[in-house]
Amino acid sequence: MNLILLGAPGAGKGTQAEIISKTYGIPTISTGNMIREAMKNGTEMGKQAKKYVDAGDLVPDAVVIGIVKERLSADDCKNGFILDGFPRTIPQAEALDNMGVGIDLVLSIEVADAEIVKRMSGRRVCGGCGASYHTEYKRPATADVCDVCGGALAIRKDDAPETVKERLSVYHTQTEPLKAFYEAQGKLRVVQGQEAVADTTRLTLAALESESR
């Protein structure tokens, strides 16, 4: 199953992608994690991406599409994948179609803007491996320490409230139109994000199960 997860920053796409990945045995491809890794390592692409991320803007299509195309050619994507953070614009979606990548289903996780600002102010990210946690919804076993690699957790600059509001504005303008794009193809399914992660997961898996019957 080839899936795309849509939703505003902080809607919970990453958490649901992780659960779907384990349930269906397919990899999650998070362009956000790949971009942050490139920024951390100071690669040429990472340097280009950093100035956009710091301003709360989207990374240019040419940079993102190159990363995704290379990743989808890997062996672990042969039986399916989950795209989290791509496509973010209509041109990116069209580029995906032009690459010959078939998408089976697009899940849009819907959460109100005010709730997202609240959620993201509590988010913590590992400086080592990029794993994501939350002070309320997804706490690590040890405070401020990553369960995966033992790295220190910190607040990302783009999780600050003023930056979050700018990112939401960008999402509504540039990414939300993708819902109509995929609805026209008969591939869109909407999941209402719940306060409890488990409740959102139940709705998400139900949507996938109904499609795979």
Side-chain angles (χ1 to χ4, degrees), residues 6-13 109-111 116 119-120 193 200:
L6 291 180
K13 300 186 300 299
I109 300 177
E110 307 282 321
V111 178
I116 284 175
R119 285 185 183 187
M120 294 185 76
T200 303

Side-chain angles (χ1 to χ4, degrees), residues 58-167:
L58 295 177
V59 176
D61 286 0
V63 177
V64 181
I65 290 170
I67 299 170
V68 173
K69 185 174 183 179
E70 183 177 71
R71 182 67 184 85
L72 291 181
S73 67
D75 288 342
D76 64 342
C77 291
K78 289 182 177 178
N79 294 322
F81 53 80
I82 306 159
L83 284 176
D84 172 15
F86 182 91
R88 288 187 175 182
T89 63
I90 296 293
Q92 287 183 352
E94 292 171 341
L96 197 62
D97 287 345
N98 292 336
M99 285 159 54
V101 178
I103 298 299
D104 300 308
L105 194 66
V106 178
L107 288 179
S108 178
I109 300 177
E110 307 282 321
V111 178
D113 285 5
E115 176 63 20
I116 284 175
V117 174
K118 175 185 171 185
R119 285 185 183 187
M120 294 185 76
S121 65
R123 190 158 69 172
R124 302 292 182 271
V125 177
C126 176
C129 68
S132 185
Y133 300 87
H134 196 279
T135 55
E136 289 185 43
Y137 307 117
K138 189 182 178 184
R139 297 173 180 169
T142 302
D144 299 323
V145 178
C146 178
D147 293 342
V148 179
C149 73
L153 304 183
I155 300 175
R156 279 172 29 200
K157 181 178 178 180
D158 53 351
D159 283 343
E162 58 275 12
T163 307
V164 171
K165 291 174 183 176
E166 174 61 28
R167 292 174 69 197

Side-chain angles (χ1 to χ4, degrees), residues 2 22 28 33 84 89 116 122 194:
N2 296 346
K22 290 178 180 177
T28 297
N33 284 345
D84 172 15
T89 63
I116 284 175
Q194 306 296 306

